[in-house]
Amino acid sequence: MGSQVSTPSAVDTSAEVPHEYNAEAGEGDKSMNDSFNVTISDELANEIISSLQSAGQDADSGEANFNEERRKNYEEKLDSWRKWNEGRQTELDDAIDGLNAKLQDLMLEFQHEADMLNKSWENPKYGDKVACLDLRASLSSCLIDGKGIECGVFVKALERCASKAVTSAQ
């Protein structure tokens, strides 16, 4: 009836427990030297051991399932964020490409307008002669020399010459 159970983890099924009550005498025992033995059947011992082992395995598998669930949840959130990020990056790249195209178009338009303006100012001809060529040359050399304010005389003279050339050509 009472024996030790041979399992992966050997368990002593008889335990000595100090007891203050003397069952035979029916009174409390003042000395702790008395003890009683409890013996359980092999079936009960095996049932208790298997119950404890399965509870331990359930706890381990429950924690593993929880960690697996957390990992899956994290991966789903990460995949969702990656898809959103990829879409956002594509939108931003498209916007940048559109702005770069507009900038290139405006630069070409500006360059064309500047070229046209430059050609119209190079040598305006009224009739058969170049208008105010000597005054333009004088003003240009004055500005290149950096005399600034002293060039005002040439500016006024060039304004008068240009007005006269335009009104006389009409």
Side-chain angles (χ1 to χ4, degrees):
M1 193 170 169
S3 68
Q4 291 186 350
V5 178
S6 63
T7 60
S9 60
V11 175
D12 184 10
T13 58
S14 65
E16 290 190 17
V17 179
H19 189 58
E20 294 181 24
Y21 182 75
N22 187 343
E24 293 173 8
E27 58 186 28
D29 187 10
K30 305 223 189 249
S31 71
M32 293 299 254
N33 292 337
D34 289 341
S35 62
F36 65 93
N37 290 332
V38 175
T39 305
I40 59 172
S41 70
D42 289 340
E43 280 180 32
L44 183 57
N46 286 334
E47 187 178 323
I48 292 171
I49 290 170
S50 67
S51 170
L52 290 173
Q53 286 175 342
S54 68
Q57 289 173 351
D58 289 346
D60 290 344
S61 68
E63 186 177 322
N65 288 340
F66 177 74
N67 287 338
E68 181 68 20
E69 221 173 277
R70 276 182 52 193
R71 186 187 61 75
K72 285 181 181 178
N73 188 20
Y74 172 75
E75 286 178 357
E76 287 173 3
K77 286 182 181 180
L78 185 61
D79 288 342
S80 171
W81 180 82
R82 282 182 177 151
K83 287 177 185 175
W84 173 85
N85 186 44
E86 185 178 320
R88 185 66 178 145
Q89 291 298 321
T90 301
E91 289 174 12
L92 292 173
D93 289 343
D94 291 346
I96 289 171
D97 290 343
L99 291 172
N100 279 335
K102 282 183 181 178
L103 178 64
Q104 291 297 323
D105 290 345
L106 289 172
M107 288 175 61
L108 288 173
E109 184 179 337
F110 178 76
Q111 185 63 44
H112 176 72
E113 293 293 325
D115 289 344
M116 296 302 291
L117 191 57
N118 194 23
K119 285 181 183 177
S120 70
W121 285 351
E122 277 182 356
N123 289 319
K125 293 187 179 181
Y126 297 100
D128 290 334
K129 48 186 201 165
V130 177
C132 312
L133 183 61
D134 57 341
L135 286 173
R136 286 188 295 147
S138 299
L139 177 60
S140 177
S141 65
C142 180
L143 291 172
I144 289 172
D145 291 342
K147 296 181 180 172
I149 296 175
E150 298 173 9
C151 300
V153 174
F154 295 113
V155 170
K156 288 181 183 176
L158 184 58
E159 286 175 355
R160 282 192 306 269
C161 178
S163 294
K164 188 160 113 183
V166 170
T167 54
S168 66
Q170 293 176 355

